[in-house]
Amino acid sequence: MAPTKTTIASQLFRRVFLFYILSALLLATVLVVNGYHNTLDKLLDEAKQLEAFHKGEIARQLWLMEVEQLDTVVSTMLQTEPIAKVKIEDTHQEILLLSEESISRNPVKRLFSKQYRQSFPIYYTHEMGVEQMGQLTLYTAQSAIIGRIQYHLLLLAGTGLIMIAALWLILFYVSRTLLTQPLNRLTLLSQQVDLSNLYSFNHLKAASEDSELGQLESAFLTMLHRLEIASDKNEAEHELNNQIYQETPVGIAVYHENGQCVTANRALGEIIDATHEQVMQQNFHQLDSWKGSGLYDAALQALRSGEIQNHDTQLDSTFGNKLYLESRLIPLTMKESQGELMVVMHDVSLYKKAEIQLQRFNQTLEEKVEQRTQQLEAAMLAKDEFLASMSHELRTPLTTIIGNGEILGESPLTEDQRNLLIAMDLSSNNLLSLINDILDL
């Protein structure tokens, strides 16, 4: 293959030359910006000094409301170079005085119309104390900065042009005498390199390593060898990743934003009981199972917002299976994958079914506990009714016996009769105490 007309030497020459020009422009820009900011700082400092010099007089004229004298002070300030405009406001931000901006006759300065504003509070000290009278705003013209640095810019531009011309002559000589042949060889090698023929360059050696270009050629061949190794490693990693992708028990699929399935692993087909071909033919925009379960809305939200969406799904798949899935919808942000959605599905049907059975068992157990509680309450109620009835039936006769015994004890009795009455009274009270203890449990 013949060397191309646009050789690497000429490209290197142009790029080095362009790099030098850009570097020179960058350096010149840095110098200009630095000079610009230094000059700006000086002008702003001059404006501050001007404000410090006149602030007492401005405050006094505001206190006395002498507008004509205030105009005189402002006119004096406008005669200094950095000041383009002056504005005086009261404490309510109402403009008391606003000077007209002067227009420069210099066309270069007229291109730079930006102004830098500095605001200073105005205080007046009188016998009652210190009182804020308003605010003074000074505008520094950008054209004043340009006027101060324009001669420096012209000198810098002339020096830069001379240095660029000298460098162009030096680079032209070097590229013609030292770079053309070895760079042509590198050009031919680089044009022949392809990932499919990396092994064909193993026998090549650098022509010479005495010069930088010889070292560059050697480094180029070394790079080809390392690229060959990296290609083999990348292929091995790709095979490993693909094996992991296919063998993982979690279902994974990638869908284009138009809904068409781009790729899917075997686990997804096993989860929904479908073949790989059937999964690849899916379009989620047309799946009623996605729309009915809310998974479709989550997919659209993930594509629109670019944020990961988590969704627990209970659905009847297209192929007739009732599934409980934990789904994670991930919008792919890689440049070559924009507009694609990765769906990761984990089948939790066994766990969900066990959870449902446990809930049903708990509900049944709660119903039985409630039924047993009602039975116990009914038994307690019957017990209370029985005790209330027995309390009346037992206590009433005993109370009558004890009362009649007490009445009988007040009548004249023989000693034997009185002993019998005492025994009867003692037994009746003991029996009443026993009945009270039993009924009050």
Side-chain angles (χ1 to χ4, degrees):
M1 181 183 295
T4 58
K5 293 182 179 180
T6 305
T7 62
I8 295 179
S10 62
Q11 293 179 18
L12 180 62
F13 168 74
R14 287 196 298 268
R15 292 178 182 177
V16 171
F17 186 64
L18 179 61
F19 174 77
Y20 177 80
I21 292 177
L22 293 177
S23 299
L25 290 176
L26 179 61
L27 179 60
T29 302
V30 171
L31 293 175
V32 170
V33 171
N34 185 55
Y36 179 90
H37 285 289
N38 289 337
T39 305
L40 174 60
D41 292 339
K42 291 179 181 178
L43 292 178
L44 294 179
D45 288 339
E46 291 178 12
K48 289 180 180 179
Q49 294 173 6
L50 188 65
E51 181 272 338
F53 182 77
H54 290 284
K55 65 180 181 181
E57 182 64 19
I58 293 175
R60 191 173 69 85
Q61 299 303 332
L62 282 177
W63 175 259
L64 299 175
M65 297 302 293
E66 293 288 346
V67 178
E68 293 182 359
Q69 295 297 328
L70 197 60
D71 284 337
T72 302
V73 177
V74 170
S75 299
T76 303
M77 297 176 71
L78 289 172
Q79 291 176 3
T80 59
E81 181 185 16
I83 305 303
K85 188 169 63 174
V86 178
K87 181 173 68 174
I88 299 176
E89 301 171 298
D90 61 12
T91 55
H92 301 290
Q93 296 183 346
E94 294 184 1
I95 298 176
L96 301 176
L97 190 148
L98 178 63
S99 65
E100 294 184 0
E101 183 179 357
S102 60
I103 301 176
S104 175
R105 296 181 180 179
N106 189 332
V108 176
K109 294 184 178 180
R110 292 177 64 181
L111 293 175
F112 301 92
S113 58
K114 183 178 179 180
Q115 296 179 344
Y116 297 91
R117 185 179 66 179
Q118 291 179 288
S119 297
F120 308 93
I122 303 173
Y123 294 98
Y124 181 72
T125 304
H126 50 83
E127 58 185 11
M128 300 297 293
V130 179
E131 182 177 350
Q132 183 174 356
M133 303 302 300
Q135 179 174 274
L136 171 65
T137 303
L138 300 180
Y139 294 84
T140 303
Q142 188 183 42
S143 58
I145 305 173
I146 302 301
R148 289 193 181 185
I149 66 173
Q150 61 182 352
Y151 298 108
H152 177 69
L153 293 177
L154 292 175
L155 180 61
L156 185 64
T159 304
L161 289 176
I162 294 174
M163 295 178 64
I164 289 172
L167 179 67
W168 185 88
L169 292 174
I170 295 172
L171 288 178
F172 181 79
Y173 173 77
V174 171
S175 66
R176 290 296 183 184
T177 57
L178 300 177
L179 300 178
T180 302
Q181 184 178 354
L183 287 181
N184 279 341
R185 174 177 165 83
L186 284 176
T187 301
L188 291 174
L189 287 176
S190 64
Q191 291 174 345
Q192 296 171 2
V193 170
D194 188 81
L195 291 177
S196 61
N197 64 352
L198 290 176
Y199 296 96
S200 62
F201 296 95
N202 289 338
H203 66 284
L204 295 179
K205 295 183 179 180
S208 174
E209 295 187 7
D210 296 335
S211 64
E212 288 81 358
L213 289 176
Q215 295 175 5
L216 178 63
E217 185 177 359
S218 177
F220 178 77
L221 295 175
T222 303
M223 181 194 69
L224 292 180
H225 178 64
R226 292 178 178 175
L227 185 61
E228 174 190 337
I229 297 175
S231 177
D232 293 340
K233 183 178 179 181
N234 184 61
E235 184 177 353
E237 290 179 350
H238 177 73
E239 292 178 358
L240 176 62
N241 292 336
N242 185 64
Q243 184 177 2
I244 295 174
Y245 169 69
Q246 292 295 341
E247 298 301 331
T248 181
V250 177
I252 303 174
V254 176
Y255 293 87
H256 194 270
E257 61 183 350
N258 62 10
Q260 186 60 45
C261 182
V262 178
T263 181
N265 65 351
R266 286 194 294 267
L268 183 63
E270 294 172 357
I271 289 174
I272 63 176
D273 194 19
T275 65
H276 184 263
E277 289 74 16
Q278 289 173 321
V279 174
M280 292 300 297
Q281 294 174 1
Q282 284 185 337
N283 186 309
F284 70 77
H285 290 299
Q286 302 172 0
L287 295 179
D288 294 335
S289 57
W290 280 43
K291 295 179 180 179
S293 64
L295 189 60
Y296 179 72
D297 294 333
L300 295 182
Q301 178 64 23
L303 287 171
R304 281 195 299 264
S305 65
E307 298 178 353
I308 297 175
Q309 302 291 321
N310 295 313
H311 189 74
D312 294 337
T313 309
Q314 177 183 355
L315 55 83
D316 294 326
S317 72
T318 307
F319 309 100
N321 296 317
K322 182 176 290 296
L323 303 174
Y324 296 91
L325 303 175
E326 290 181 353
S327 302
R328 189 173 180 87
L329 299 97
I330 307 170
L332 301 180
T333 56
M334 296 179 293
K335 184 176 181 181
E336 62 274 12
S337 301
Q338 286 184 350
E340 294 183 348
L341 180 69
M342 183 169 69
V343 180
V344 181
M345 291 185 175
H346 182 55
D347 187 5
V348 293
S349 299
L350 293 177
Y351 305 108
K352 286 294 183 180
K353 290 177 181 178
E355 182 181 352
I356 292 173
Q357 291 179 353
L358 181 61
Q359 291 175 351
R360 291 176 179 173
F361 176 77
N362 289 337
Q363 184 178 1
T364 302
L365 184 61
E366 289 175 357
E367 292 175 354
K368 289 183 178 180
V369 169
E370 183 178 358
Q371 182 180 3
R372 182 60 178 169
T373 301
Q374 292 175 354
Q375 292 175 352
L376 290 175
E377 290 176 350
M380 290 297 295
L381 180 61
K383 171 192 170 184
D384 292 341
E385 292 177 351
F386 170 76
L387 291 177
S389 175
M390 291 302 295
S391 174
H392 176 74
E393 297 295 334
L394 293 176
R395 286 172 175 168
T396 301
L398 282 174
T399 303
T400 303
I401 293 172
I402 293 172
N404 290 331
E406 291 176 351
I407 295 173
L408 184 61
E410 296 176 355
S411 60
L413 297 173
T414 64
E415 185 175 349
D416 291 337
Q417 290 176 335
R418 188 168 296 281
N419 290 334
L420 291 174
L421 182 61
I422 291 172
M424 183 184 67
D425 182 65
L426 180 62
S427 298
S428 299
N429 282 297
N430 289 337
L431 181 59
L432 179 61
S433 176
L434 179 63
I435 290 174
N436 287 336
D437 291 340
I438 293 174
L439 295 181
D440 292 338
L441 286 176

